[in-house]
Amino acid sequence: MGSVATFRGQIGPDELGVTLIHEHIFVRNPELELNLADGEWDPARAVETAIRGLTDLYELGIRTVVDLTVPGLGRDVRLVAEVAERAPVNLVASTGWYTSNVLPVYFGFHGPGLTIDEPDPLIALFVRDIRQGIASTGVRAGMLKVMTDADGITPDVARVMTAAAVAHQETGVPITTHSSPASRNGLLQQALLGEHGVPADRIIIGHCGDTDDLDYLRELMDNGSTIGMDRFGMEHDQPDDRRTRTVVALLERGYADRMVLSHDAAYYSHVTPPSWRAASAPRWRMDTISRHILPALRGAGVSDDEIDQMLIHNPRRLLEGVA
Ligand SMILES: [Zn+2]
């Protein structure tokens, strides 16, 4: 059993405890910060907000939060490390690239057969983030993240996914996806990653709670993957009671060992800044599962064992077993 990389170093799988497996500490865009700044972004204040929020989560029983903020979403592990040093929960960093269609122009020039003819720098980046640490900080990534949205698997999206598959094969680090359930493209993600040697049971197909198409969700799980019911509180996309009903329906069909619960929330996002979230998405917070969803699940007859399976044992199974 491998240890798990966190911002404060390696920990034993037993220490993971209740885990929110798909969250964001800060979602930023350095180029926009230089040119189209958001008046609500104040790094010092954001750090304090995150520490307060994570301390509240600890008091609610949460022990680990996976920060799926990869490059493309403004990953800044130095800033998150300031949070990790003073917050009681374990934070896990991730690597990958967030794009739904095209990569930055750099990647059109660097890579096999390109102007600067060299091995794919995405693979080098992912493997270095996992093995040595991110941006010379020594903080090692414990999760890979790729995405496919409504545009489908474009050539650049396929390149990211292929690089993540190579990094997975070298390191064993699991892969979480951002998928678009409306286009059922989690199945395409399983197929492409599978072609490149990633076992389905090392993949979390993310954002599956956005749909209540049970046949689609069962197919993903029957293929071996875990699905992320990971957007609780995002009621502007799908109300929580529908998300909850879907989880209950799948638990009744015996899928407790194939679902993980999270919010995809953030303590700050340039995309949807704090004032917008407070006014328009008040439940899109990392304490919504603890405060609202678990009571609703228990009210619907879900057992503590099933809840522990989704919040403790499934995340642990995915995060451990890393080479
Ligand atoms: Zn996310």
Side-chain angles (χ1 to χ4, degrees), residues 162-181:
T162 305
V166 173
H168 167 82
Q169 295 214 50
E170 285 189 26
T171 64
V173 163
I175 300 178
T176 296
T177 76
H178 164 121
S179 72
S180 165

mmCIF file of all heavy atoms in Angstrom, residues 162-181:
data_model
loop_
_atom_site.group_PDB
_atom_site.id
_atom_site.type_symbol
_atom_site.label_atom_id
_atom_site.label_comp_id
_atom_site.label_asym_id
_atom_site.label_seq_id
_atom_site.Cartn_x
_atom_site.Cartn_y
_atom_site.Cartn_z
ATOM 1 N N THR A 162 -3.835 11.562 -23.680
ATOM 2 C CA THR A 162 -2.795 10.579 -23.960
ATOM 3 C C THR A 162 -1.600 10.790 -23.037
ATOM 4 O O THR A 162 -1.038 9.832 -22.487
ATOM 5 C CB THR A 162 -2.364 10.688 -25.435
ATOM 6 O OG1 THR A 162 -3.529 10.558 -26.260
ATOM 7 C CG2 THR A 162 -1.377 9.597 -25.803
ATOM 8 N N ALA A 163 -1.220 12.060 -22.843
ATOM 9 C CA ALA A 163 -0.099 12.360 -21.943
ATOM 10 C C ALA A 163 -0.430 11.933 -20.515
ATOM 11 O O ALA A 163 0.423 11.387 -19.799
ATOM 12 C CB ALA A 163 0.225 13.861 -22.000
ATOM 13 N N ALA A 164 -1.671 12.150 -20.111
ATOM 14 C CA ALA A 164 -2.075 11.737 -18.756
ATOM 15 C C ALA A 164 -2.026 10.215 -18.630
ATOM 16 O O ALA A 164 -1.633 9.689 -17.583
ATOM 17 C CB ALA A 164 -3.476 12.258 -18.443
ATOM 18 N N ALA A 165 -2.409 9.515 -19.711
ATOM 19 C CA ALA A 165 -2.364 8.051 -19.678
ATOM 20 C C ALA A 165 -0.922 7.565 -19.516
ATOM 21 O O ALA A 165 -0.655 6.636 -18.744
ATOM 22 C CB ALA A 165 -2.988 7.473 -20.949
ATOM 23 N N VAL A 166 0.009 8.198 -20.225
ATOM 24 C CA VAL A 166 1.421 7.825 -20.098
ATOM 25 C C VAL A 166 1.898 8.086 -18.659
ATOM 26 O O VAL A 166 2.549 7.238 -18.035
ATOM 27 C CB VAL A 166 2.293 8.595 -21.115
ATOM 28 C CG1 VAL A 166 3.777 8.332 -20.857
ATOM 29 C CG2 VAL A 166 1.912 8.217 -22.546
ATOM 30 N N ALA A 167 1.538 9.252 -18.138
ATOM 31 C CA ALA A 167 1.953 9.586 -16.763
ATOM 32 C C ALA A 167 1.333 8.607 -15.770
ATOM 33 O O ALA A 167 1.977 8.213 -14.791
ATOM 34 C CB ALA A 167 1.548 11.023 -16.427
ATOM 35 N N HIS A 168 0.099 8.212 -16.018
ATOM 36 C CA HIS A 168 -0.530 7.211 -15.142
ATOM 37 C C HIS A 168 0.241 5.901 -15.182
ATOM 38 O O HIS A 168 0.496 5.284 -14.144
ATOM 39 C CB HIS A 168 -1.980 6.957 -15.538
ATOM 40 C CG HIS A 168 -2.542 5.733 -14.879
ATOM 41 N ND1 HIS A 168 -3.024 5.764 -13.586
ATOM 42 C CD2 HIS A 168 -2.618 4.440 -15.287
ATOM 43 C CE1 HIS A 168 -3.383 4.529 -13.246
ATOM 44 N NE2 HIS A 168 -3.145 3.710 -14.255
ATOM 45 N N GLN A 169 0.609 5.469 -16.394
ATOM 46 C CA GLN A 169 1.305 4.180 -16.504
ATOM 47 C C GLN A 169 2.644 4.228 -15.793
ATOM 48 O O GLN A 169 3.110 3.229 -15.254
ATOM 49 C CB GLN A 169 1.501 3.830 -17.974
ATOM 50 C CG GLN A 169 0.170 3.600 -18.653
ATOM 51 C CD GLN A 169 0.273 2.529 -19.716
ATOM 52 O OE1 GLN A 169 0.786 1.444 -19.460
ATOM 53 N NE2 GLN A 169 -0.200 2.844 -20.904
ATOM 54 N N GLU A 170 3.294 5.408 -15.819
ATOM 55 C CA GLU A 170 4.609 5.507 -15.164
ATOM 56 C C GLU A 170 4.500 5.625 -13.655
ATOM 57 O O GLU A 170 5.427 5.277 -12.938
ATOM 58 C CB GLU A 170 5.374 6.724 -15.714
ATOM 59 C CG GLU A 170 5.920 6.472 -17.108
ATOM 60 C CD GLU A 170 6.857 7.576 -17.579
ATOM 61 O OE1 GLU A 170 7.479 8.260 -16.725
ATOM 62 O OE2 GLU A 170 6.955 7.759 -18.806
ATOM 63 N N THR A 171 3.387 6.143 -13.154
ATOM 64 C CA THR A 171 3.326 6.500 -11.736
ATOM 65 C C THR A 171 2.204 5.819 -10.966
ATOM 66 O O THR A 171 2.257 5.780 -9.729
ATOM 67 C CB THR A 171 3.121 8.020 -11.580
ATOM 68 O OG1 THR A 171 1.838 8.371 -12.138
ATOM 69 C CG2 THR A 171 4.224 8.802 -12.282
ATOM 70 N N GLY A 172 1.152 5.383 -11.661
ATOM 71 C CA GLY A 172 -0.006 4.797 -10.974
ATOM 72 C C GLY A 172 -0.994 5.814 -10.433
ATOM 73 O O GLY A 172 -2.029 5.429 -9.873
ATOM 74 N N VAL A 173 -0.706 7.103 -10.585
ATOM 75 C CA VAL A 173 -1.610 8.128 -10.053
ATOM 76 C C VAL A 173 -2.946 8.061 -10.808
ATOM 77 O O VAL A 173 -2.980 7.963 -12.027
ATOM 78 C CB VAL A 173 -0.953 9.533 -10.184
ATOM 79 C CG1 VAL A 173 -1.973 10.652 -10.055
ATOM 80 C CG2 VAL A 173 0.128 9.691 -9.133
ATOM 81 N N PRO A 174 -4.067 8.078 -10.061
ATOM 82 C CA PRO A 174 -5.374 7.958 -10.715
ATOM 83 C C PRO A 174 -5.730 9.200 -11.533
ATOM 84 O O PRO A 174 -5.141 10.265 -11.356
ATOM 85 C CB PRO A 174 -6.340 7.799 -9.536
ATOM 86 C CG PRO A 174 -5.644 8.441 -8.388
ATOM 87 C CD PRO A 174 -4.177 8.219 -8.599
ATOM 88 N N ILE A 175 -6.691 9.035 -12.428
ATOM 89 C CA ILE A 175 -7.110 10.116 -13.319
ATOM 90 C C ILE A 175 -8.557 10.495 -13.014
ATOM 91 O O ILE A 175 -9.438 9.631 -12.983
ATOM 92 C CB ILE A 175 -6.996 9.704 -14.802
ATOM 93 C CG1 ILE A 175 -5.540 9.354 -15.151
ATOM 94 C CG2 ILE A 175 -7.532 10.810 -15.722
ATOM 95 C CD1 ILE A 175 -5.332 8.889 -16.597
ATOM 96 N N THR A 176 -8.784 11.778 -12.769
ATOM 97 C CA THR A 176 -10.145 12.315 -12.672
ATOM 98 C C THR A 176 -10.439 13.081 -13.942
ATOM 99 O O THR A 176 -9.578 13.799 -14.456
ATOM 100 C CB THR A 176 -10.286 13.274 -11.474
ATOM 101 O OG1 THR A 176 -10.074 12.566 -10.265
ATOM 102 C CG2 THR A 176 -11.675 13.897 -11.436
ATOM 103 N N THR A 177 -11.663 12.955 -14.444
ATOM 104 C CA THR A 177 -12.035 13.722 -15.618
ATOM 105 C C THR A 177 -13.078 14.776 -15.278
ATOM 106 O O THR A 177 -13.819 14.654 -14.303
ATOM 107 C CB THR A 177 -12.621 12.826 -16.727
ATOM 108 O OG1 THR A 177 -13.966 12.454 -16.394
ATOM 109 C CG2 THR A 177 -11.777 11.577 -16.947
ATOM 110 N N HIS A 178 -13.099 15.822 -16.099
ATOM 111 C CA HIS A 178 -14.265 16.686 -16.226
ATOM 112 C C HIS A 178 -14.977 16.153 -17.459
ATOM 113 O O HIS A 178 -14.368 16.074 -18.528
ATOM 114 C CB HIS A 178 -13.790 18.138 -16.423
ATOM 115 C CG HIS A 178 -14.844 19.089 -16.940
ATOM 116 N ND1 HIS A 178 -15.217 20.217 -16.240
ATOM 117 C CD2 HIS A 178 -15.558 19.096 -18.091
ATOM 118 C CE1 HIS A 178 -16.147 20.868 -16.950
ATOM 119 N NE2 HIS A 178 -16.366 20.218 -18.072
ATOM 120 N N SER A 179 -16.208 15.718 -17.317
ATOM 121 C CA SER A 179 -16.941 15.208 -18.479
ATOM 122 C C SER A 179 -18.212 16.013 -18.664
ATOM 123 O O SER A 179 -18.587 16.823 -17.817
ATOM 124 C CB SER A 179 -17.283 13.732 -18.293
ATOM 125 O OG SER A 179 -18.312 13.588 -17.319
ATOM 126 N N SER A 180 -18.858 15.797 -19.792
ATOM 127 C CA SER A 180 -20.118 16.466 -20.098
ATOM 128 C C SER A 180 -21.186 15.388 -20.234
ATOM 129 O O SER A 180 -21.358 14.799 -21.298
ATOM 130 C CB SER A 180 -19.956 17.246 -21.410
ATOM 131 O OG SER A 180 -21.230 17.609 -21.907
ATOM 132 N N PRO A 181 -21.889 15.099 -19.129
ATOM 133 C CA PRO A 181 -22.875 14.016 -19.168
ATOM 134 C C PRO A 181 -23.952 14.240 -20.222
ATOM 135 O O PRO A 181 -24.491 13.272 -20.760
ATOM 136 C CB PRO A 181 -23.474 14.026 -17.760
ATOM 137 C CG PRO A 181 -22.456 14.700 -16.915
ATOM 138 C CD PRO A 181 -21.784 15.709 -17.797
#
